Amino acid sequence: DLAAAVTASLEANGVPPPGEPLLRAINPSSDALQACAPSATEHLIAVISSRCSEPLAAVRAITSQYRMTNKPAPTKPSFYVSSVTAPLRAAAAPSGCLSLVDAATRSHCLS
C-alpha cells in the first residue's frame, strides 16, 4: 500500500512519519497511480530506447571512413560505442529514473 511505502521511505531517510489524515489521503491516489503504471513503463522504455539509438546513426559512416582513407581495421571499439548504453546505465544507476520503480518493472525495462 502506498501509505506504508511513503512512511517507510520517509523513516529510512530520517524524516518523521506523516500524520494519519495525510496517510488516509494518500491511499486513494494509489489506485490511480497503479492504473498509470503500464503506460508509464512503456513510455520509459521508449524514451530510454530512443536515447540509446541516437549514437547508432554514426554506424553508417564507419565503412566509408575506412574505405576512403585506407585505414587499417579498428582494433578497439569506436568512441561512440559506450555512448549507446550510456542512457540505459544512467537510468539503471541508483539515482536514475529506474530506481523509482519496483523490481519487476525495473527488470522489464532492462530486459
Side-chain angles (χ1 to χ4, degrees), residues 47-59 62 77-91:
V47 168
I48 294 170
S49 297
S50 173
R51 289 185 181 166
C52 288
S53 307
E54 290 169 2
L56 295 175
V59 169
I62 293 174
S78 297
F79 69 93
Y80 67 86
V81 171
S82 63
S83 65
V84 172
T85 59
L88 182 59
R89 288 192 315 270

Side-chain angles (χ1 to χ4, degrees), residues 3 5 7 9 12 15 18 23-24 42-43 45 54 56 74-75 81 90-92 96 98 100 110-111:
T7 300
S9 180
V15 178
L23 291 176
R24 280 196 308 266
E42 294 308 313
H43 180 71
I45 291 169
E54 290 169 2
L56 295 175
T75 58
V81 171
L98 292 179
L100 303 174
L110 295 174
S111 63

Side-chain angles (χ1 to χ4, degrees), residues 2-61:
L2 185 59
V6 167
T7 300
S9 180
L10 291 173
E11 289 175 350
N13 290 297
V15 178
E20 189 62 35
L22 180 59
L23 291 176
R24 280 196 308 266
I26 289 173
N27 277 331
S29 302
S30 178
D31 293 337
L33 289 173
Q34 290 297 329
C36 294
S39 63
T41 300
E42 294 308 313
H43 180 71
L44 187 62
I45 291 169
V47 168
I48 294 170
S49 297
S50 173
R51 289 185 181 166
C52 288
S53 307
E54 290 169 2
L56 295 175
V59 169
R60 287 187 219 148

